[in-house]
Amino acid sequence: MSRALDIDAIRAEFPILSREVNGKPLVYLDNAASAQKPNAVIDAIANQSRTAYANVHRGIHTLSNETTEAYEAARETCRAYLNAASTDNIVFTKGSTEGINLVASALAGEIRPGDEIVLSIMEHHSNIVPWHFLRERHGAVLKWVGLHEDGSLNMEELAEAIGPKTRMVAITHMSNVLGTVTEMAKICQLAHDADAQVLADGSQAAVHIPVDVQALGVDWYVMTGHKLYGPSGIGVLYGTAEALDRARPYQGGGEMIEVVTRDRVTYNTAPHKFEAGTPPILEAIGLGVALKWIKAFDHAEIEAHEVALYNRAYDGLRGVNGMTVHGTTPDKGAVLTFSLQGAHPHDLAQILDRYGVAIRAGHHCAQPLMEHLGVSATARASFAIYNTEAEVDAFIEALAKAREMLV
């Protein structure tokens, strides 16, 4: 049975939410950048460090065995969270960025000049720059897909962009700026019909909507721990058995090998062939605890709560003169990105911080999208399970005061 969505009780599990900033109660609305951590995660990392820490997979003593069991249990939790077929499909990484770089590196050996990689203009830089490496070093061609006015992906353009030279379609599952949720299953169908692979950037989606990688049909899926109420420095790359078997190792070192001699090397099987060196052991264990913490709640109730907060904030901004909200597609995630005419986003964020309200300002590592929107930067408020209606009202009130100062 799922836990009740008692927001006051949930907030009590996040010690940082009780602090003040500039003499005001903290209103943390920068969750799309990084979420706060519950006691369950904090305690799990501390307790593992206190009671059973050693390197994994390499020892036969008790501490090593106990740590290995906890580490591999976290891999199973990640498998279940994404509904992967096997733990062999789950590669631990430093985060989504490393996962995407790993896939790009694996694909590099197959790329020939003129081969195409299809991206959308709302991608995070982490899902752009690794593909530029293939453009610069291997002659790949990047093809860009645009958006409709409401911020939804132009699926007609996507279908036209995919062709016989397409090798990879790399698309966000949920935009970190617009909150747009893409039609990933349909994207996979279009790509696979052209014998192309699909990488879905799930950095935002994995937090806010249920993800079933088998139902979606993706070849690759990435998510990152620090947005999932877990630690930083840990993430997950999901790959199908075929994709992982086909991919060459990303880094060399311990753990990822079977035999090393002076004149040859044979590699381990997936996922271990992609996990060279001592892994982020405590971070992986913390991520497993974070995912279990999330799964204790009904995901539909979490989503409804976050969307209600977004709608309350959107309604509070909608009538403000000079205010533009970027991204209004239906069924979007709880990410509110906006511009206020006559006010720089950095100034807005700085003034809101005086009132204890933490938002993000800048290009959000999405400069091609900023160019499309015709701005150099935007402000962004993003909502999480522990945010409240009172915090939304505090955000709107602080924004009104900032507008009086700046406009």
Side-chain angles (χ1 to χ4, degrees):
M1 181 178 293
S2 299
R3 280 184 59 183
L5 203 67
D6 183 336
I7 304 304
D8 288 338
I10 290 169
R11 287 180 63 84
E13 297 181 46
F14 289 79
I16 199 170
L17 298 181
S18 64
R19 70 164 290 180
E20 292 186 347
V21 171
N22 294 320
K24 304 288 185 180
L26 170 64
V27 176
Y28 187 79
L29 302 179
D30 194 20
N31 298 288
S34 202
Q36 300 300 337
K37 324 303 173 194
N39 283 323
V41 172
I42 297 168
D43 293 343
I45 294 172
N47 290 338
Q48 192 74 39
S49 301
R50 291 189 183 105
T51 63
Y53 175 79
N55 212 331
V56 294
H57 301 148
R58 302 176 189 178
I60 58 173
H61 58 80
T62 298
L63 291 187
S64 180
N65 288 335
E66 290 178 355
T67 308
T68 298
E69 287 175 7
Y71 178 76
E72 290 301 332
R75 196 189 303 272
E76 164 57 24
T77 301
C78 294
R79 182 213 63 77
Y81 192 80
L82 294 174
N83 193 35
S86 167
T87 53
D88 290 345
N89 301 119
I90 301 298
V91 179
F92 282 129
T93 64
K94 290 188 295 185
S96 294
T97 299
E98 185 179 49
I100 297 170
N101 274 273
L102 190 159
V103 175
S105 175
L107 187 66
E110 304 178 14
I111 290 291
R112 300 293 178 265
D115 285 349
E116 296 171 352
I117 297 165
V118 176
L119 309 170
S120 83
I121 61 170
M122 61 180 165
E123 299 308 313
H124 189 281
H125 292 169
S126 293
N127 199 26
I128 296 176
V129 179
W131 310 115
H132 269 301
F133 287 171
L134 300 191
R135 177 190 61 80
E136 293 174 340
R137 302 168 189 178
H138 299 275
V141 175
L142 304 188
K143 298 190 73 174
W144 297 88
V145 178
L147 309 175
H148 293 296
E149 188 173 347
D150 65 356
S152 58
L153 184 66
N154 189 321
M155 293 297 288
E156 293 78 13
E157 277 192 26
L158 178 69
E160 292 176 3
I162 297 172
K165 291 187 177 182
T166 305
R167 296 293 172 264
M168 178 66 71
V169 178
I171 301 287
T172 183
H173 196 186
M174 179 188 290
S175 168
N176 71 309
V177 177
L178 304 176
T180 301
V181 179
T182 56
E183 300 177 72
M184 192 52 63
K186 187 172 182 180
I187 292 169
C188 290
Q189 181 180 356
L190 291 169
H192 291 160
D193 286 346
D195 293 323
Q197 297 184 64
V198 176
L199 180 144
D201 180 357
S203 300
Q204 300 294 331
V207 186
H208 299 290
I209 61 176
V211 176
D212 183 334
V213 290
Q214 295 187 79
L216 293 174
V218 291
D219 301 280
W220 305 98
Y221 198 95
V222 296
M223 66 181 186
T224 191
H226 67 98
K227 299 183 194 297
L228 285 156
Y229 310 103
S232 58
I234 184 67
V236 166
L237 169 66
Y238 160 84
T240 63
E242 180 184 4
L244 289 166
D245 182 63
R246 178 177 172 181
R248 64 185 186 181
Y250 175 53
Q251 294 176 318
E255 187 67 18
M256 52 76 64
I257 49 82
E258 287 184 343
V259 177
V260 176
T261 70
R262 284 185 282 184
D263 55 7
R264 71 182 180 90
V265 58
T266 57
Y267 302 121
N268 208 335
T269 56
H272 304 297
K273 74 173 181 177
F274 301 108
E275 296 180 0
T278 299
I281 298 167
L282 296 174
E283 290 83 353
I285 292 169
L287 173 58
V289 171
L291 296 183
K292 284 187 175 181
W293 185 87
I294 296 170
K295 291 294 285 184
F297 301 96
D298 183 287
H299 220 130
E301 290 186 11
I302 297 174
E303 187 176 358
H305 169 67
E306 292 173 345
V307 169
L309 296 176
Y310 169 86
N311 289 336
R312 188 180 185 93
Y314 178 76
D315 289 342
L317 269 58
R318 190 165 47 179
V320 177
N321 290 334
M323 182 71 70
T324 300
V325 174
H326 304 287
T328 57
T329 181
D331 302 320
K332 61 171 284 181
V335 179
L336 180 66
T337 299
F338 59 95
S339 300
L340 179 60
Q341 187 176 0
H344 195 283
H346 290 168
D347 294 332
L348 288 174
Q350 191 169 16
I351 294 173
L352 262 62
D353 185 61
R354 297 181 190 176
Y355 296 96
V357 179
I359 66 168
R360 178 69 47 162
H363 54 62
H364 315 295
C365 294
Q367 288 177 306
L369 178 56
M370 295 298 109
E371 182 182 14
H372 168 77
L373 297 175
V375 296
S376 60
T378 60
R380 182 185 71 190
S382 47
F383 304 96
I385 188 173
Y386 43 63
N387 290 128
T388 67
E389 291 185 351
E391 289 184 316
V392 173
D393 295 342
F395 158 67
I396 294 170
E397 183 180 349
L399 189 60
K401 293 176 180 176
R403 182 173 177 272
E404 291 175 2
M405 297 180 193
L406 297 172
V407 179

